[in-house]
Amino acid sequence: DALLKECKYVVDRTYHTKANQQTMMETFRAYTYLDHFGRLNVVASTQVPFHVRRILGRALGIGASKVRVIKPRIGGGFGAKQTAVCEMYPAIVTMKTGKPAKIVYSRYESQICSSPRHEMEVRVRLGADEKGTLKAIDIHTLSNTGAYGEHGPTTVGLSGHKPLGLYRNTEAYRFSYEVVYTNQMSAGAYRCTAVYHCRIIQDLQSSCLLVDLDLYDTGHKRRRRDLGGTGCGGLKAGIISAGSFCRYCLQRHLSLAI
């Protein structure tokens, strides 16, 4: 806060990203059976067989050693299948009856009871000196995890962890967050777990700062990005770049900010 007060230019804006639902080619599905050792076998369209094994073992009270999860090649996932969405239901039937069971979600069911991207509200404050050098970054994320905490800490953590590494010479940075439960569908992983849209927000915020600095001119080649930096595509110089953004596109994005 102290360093932001010393900065000549400060941009403070809040952005809202809606919940998103992925539509992988193959919907959620699984089938279960007991082998001759009495062990529960689960064949599932999943991205996380060991997580499914652990979750089922604990939920059914039989322990992970009594569960075997088989993951064939699947028809897409995008992160939604990092959650045990449907494996529990045929597993319960098999454990109760001793017979094989299968479940296949329809496209409609995959949309209304699965694992979408978290809805988020992200406040970003950037401070720069008169030369355009970024001095301070402050990010606060409010994340809607839905009815359960699936991927709640993981996703919100990455929403701040990755954008903070973009500028190497930042003198101070802070990331804080809140994850809240609501009566909506439980959210989960989707496309690199919140990294992309939060990084885009910070890039947009940097562009807003360029407007305040009156440096929004592609002719300023000396301030162009040096993508050879370290970290997550970091900037070597730590100086905000005008790049080749279109002023119209910037204004269009600004209109979406709260």
Side-chain angles (χ1 to χ4, degrees), residues 38 54 82 107 112-114 122 152 188 204 209 216 225 240:
R54 172 180 52 83
Q82 289 187 26
R107 180 61 62 191
I112 67 167
C113 51
S114 56
V122 184
L204 173 60
L209 191 55
Y216 205 86
R225 289 189 175 191
I240 301 170

Side-chain angles (χ1 to χ4, degrees), residues 9 128-133 206-223 239-243 247:
Y9 300 96
D129 61 16
E130 63 280 356
K131 297 180 180 179
T133 302
S206 299
S207 299
C208 298
L209 191 55
L210 281 168
V211 173
D212 290 348
L213 288 164
D214 197 25
L215 294 175
Y216 205 86
D217 181 0
T218 55
H220 286 262
K221 293 185 178 180
R222 67 185 179 86
R223 293 186 180 272
I239 297 178
I240 301 170
S241 153
R247 190 178 289 269

Side-chain angles (χ1 to χ4, degrees), residues 41-115:
N41 283 252
V42 182
V43 182
S45 180
T46 179
Q47 294 175 252
V48 285
F50 290 99
H51 283 319
V52 172
R53 179 174 180 255
R54 172 180 52 83
I55 291 169
L56 289 181
R58 182 176 298 174
L60 296 171
I62 60 176
S65 63
K66 293 292 186 179
V67 181
R68 181 189 182 202
V69 178
I70 302 169
K71 186 202 78 65
R73 291 189 178 184
I74 65 174
F78 306 118
K81 292 176 182 176
Q82 289 187 26
T83 299
V85 170
C86 68
E87 292 84 354
M88 177 60 64
Y89 307 118
I92 292 174
V93 174
T94 295
M95 293 300 294
K96 289 290 186 180
T97 66
K99 296 182 179 181
K102 178 176 70 172
I103 187 169
V104 178
Y105 273 27
S106 67
R107 180 61 62 191
Y108 176 73
E109 290 167 336
S110 292
Q111 294 296 304
I112 67 167
C113 51
S114 56
S115 182

